[in-house]
Amino acid sequence: MILDGKAVAQKVLGEVGAGVERLRAETGVTPTLAVVLVGDFAPSKVYVTAKLKAGASVGIATRDHLFPAGLTQAELRALLASLNADRAVHGILLQLPLVPGCDEDEAIRAIAPEKDVDGLHPQNLGQLLAGAPTVVPCTPAGCMEILDHYGAKLEGKEAVVVGRSRLVGKPLAQLLLARHATVTMCHTRTRDLAEHTRRADVLCVAAGRARMITGAMVKEGAWVIDVGVNRLETGKLAGDVDFQSVESRAEAITPVPGGVGPMTVAMLLKNTLAAARRQLTK
Ligand code: NAP
């Protein structure tokens, strides 16, 4: 079964659009997302354009704050402080990675937790760890949405997450744990990666290494979520999973493109609507 992230994202976007309409009718306010991009890293520009476009498609107002690479940490801090104080802005998305010389941790901490629609502020990540309601980082939230949409059974299953980044691997492992999967996290110091991946009923890969997971590394009947986005020399996109050799072994698999990618944007807008609702109704 191909897990069609594009279709699931469309469903989520439809729900967000309806939610935006409802909130506007109740409060007269349009949820507003500020997108901040520093520098001209080409993939980041593509992601920002996609986020702005998708926001407009569901009626979320967007403001772009695009700066050259020379923006100083102090200037970035001042911008974030002004967006925090602006009651018309409900969500702030700081496109990562920041340019070299900018302190990413400091910048993330400078975003008001209630406007942190990426869910990366330590307060929100801490809430996730505590099992309390919080803003869930968009990509892991998208992975869970796909699994749920297609009815994946998680309780008691062996889940293996390859990659331990703050953005994807760690929060995803936490979400799987919260759903009572038995979770193993792998990374570059993992001694025998295949030994772990072959045990996985649910295998989630977010390593950023094109096609590193091959059919021989996957259990027959596994559900495979491929988060990786890698640009090949040919210019084509490839995931971290070798789709061709894994497809025949897996029961279900996300393609790249058209899997997790569209979900990330949809979950960002879902988080933005939820943030606006919390701020307007508190
Ligand atoms: P990251 O910060 O570079 O983290 C990569 C993680 O993978 C690290 O924890 C690293 O281990 C681990 N890793 C790398 N090579 C490995 C190997 N050979 N064996 C085992 N573990 C390995 O990357 P990220 O931000 O999490 O992103 C991961 C991938 O997902 C990238 O391709 C990125 O483009 C993609 N992504 C896609 C979306 C989307 O919307 N589809 C969103 C975010 C990211 P160490 O910790 O030991 O270094």
Side-chain angles (χ1 to χ4, degrees):
M1 173 167 55
I2 304 296
L3 304 174
D4 184 350
K6 240 182 179 166
V8 184
Q10 278 309 318
K11 186 200 79 169
V12 172
L13 289 173
E15 290 163 2
V16 172
V20 168
E21 269 312 307
R22 253 194 324 274
L23 189 62
R24 216 184 346 239
E26 285 164 24
T27 64
V29 176
T30 300
T32 299
L33 173 68
V35 178
V36 181
L37 173 65
V38 185
D40 56 4
F41 183 50
S44 292
K45 282 167 125 176
V46 171
Y47 290 135
V48 162
T49 305
K51 288 166 186 177
L52 295 170
K53 199 171 145 203
S57 78
V58 296
I60 287 181
T62 53
R63 295 188 190 172
D64 54 33
H65 300 269
L66 313 179
F67 297 97
L71 189 80
T72 66
Q73 187 85 28
E75 287 166 336
L76 179 58
R77 198 181 305 127
L79 169 73
L80 294 172
S82 75
L83 294 174
N84 288 342
D86 187 341
R87 288 171 64 88
V89 170
H90 307 103
I92 301 170
L93 181 280
L94 177 61
Q95 184 64 43
L96 302 176
L98 285 181
V99 286
C102 267
D103 181 338
E104 219 161 85
D105 286 346
E106 200 228 277
I108 290 170
R109 279 196 303 274
I111 298 171
E114 67 273 16
K115 295 192 180 185
D116 164 39
V117 284
D118 241 351
L120 296 179
H121 190 284
Q123 184 174 311
N124 289 325
L125 286 174
Q127 292 280 90
L128 183 66
L129 194 65
T134 187
V135 186
V136 176
C138 307
T139 303
C143 296
M144 297 305 289
E145 189 81 24
I146 291 181
L147 287 168
D148 284 339
H149 178 85
Y150 285 97
K153 304 267 181 293
L154 299 173
E155 188 170 334
K157 300 287 179 173
E158 293 288 334
V160 172
V161 179
V162 182
R164 55 174 168 181
S165 69
R166 167 173 59 187
L167 193 64
V168 189
K170 279 182 191 159
L172 181 54
Q174 204 54 45
L175 292 166
L176 291 162
L177 191 60
R179 299 289 293 278
H180 310 295
T182 301
V183 182
T184 303
M185 297 189 68
C186 300
H187 43 79
T188 53
R189 316 289 167 91
T190 298
R191 271 205 295 258
D192 186 346
L193 182 64
E195 185 202 338
H196 295 284
T197 58
R198 272 198 294 265
R199 281 193 297 102
D201 301 308
V202 179
L203 176 61
C204 303
V205 192
R209 301 279 178 272
R211 297 176 180 158
M212 66 176 280
I213 302 292
T214 57
M217 299 168 77
V218 175
K219 182 176 172 177
E220 193 83 44
W223 284 56
V224 180
I225 302 290
D226 186 357
V227 181
V229 179
N230 307 285
R231 182 73 62 184
L232 301 175
E233 276 175 12
T234 58
K236 277 182 137 186
L237 286 185
D240 289 353
V241 174
D242 179 37
F243 189 86
Q244 224 179 348
S245 63
V246 172
E247 185 193 15
S248 55
R249 293 184 65 81
E251 181 176 317
I253 182 169
T254 57
V256 175
V260 175
M263 292 305 300
T264 297
V265 179
M267 300 316 278
L268 168 72
L269 299 174
K270 187 173 175 175
N271 283 350
T272 303
L273 171 62
R277 182 168 283 288
R278 277 195 301 272
Q279 287 160 49
L280 292 166
T281 56
K282 78 176 174 196

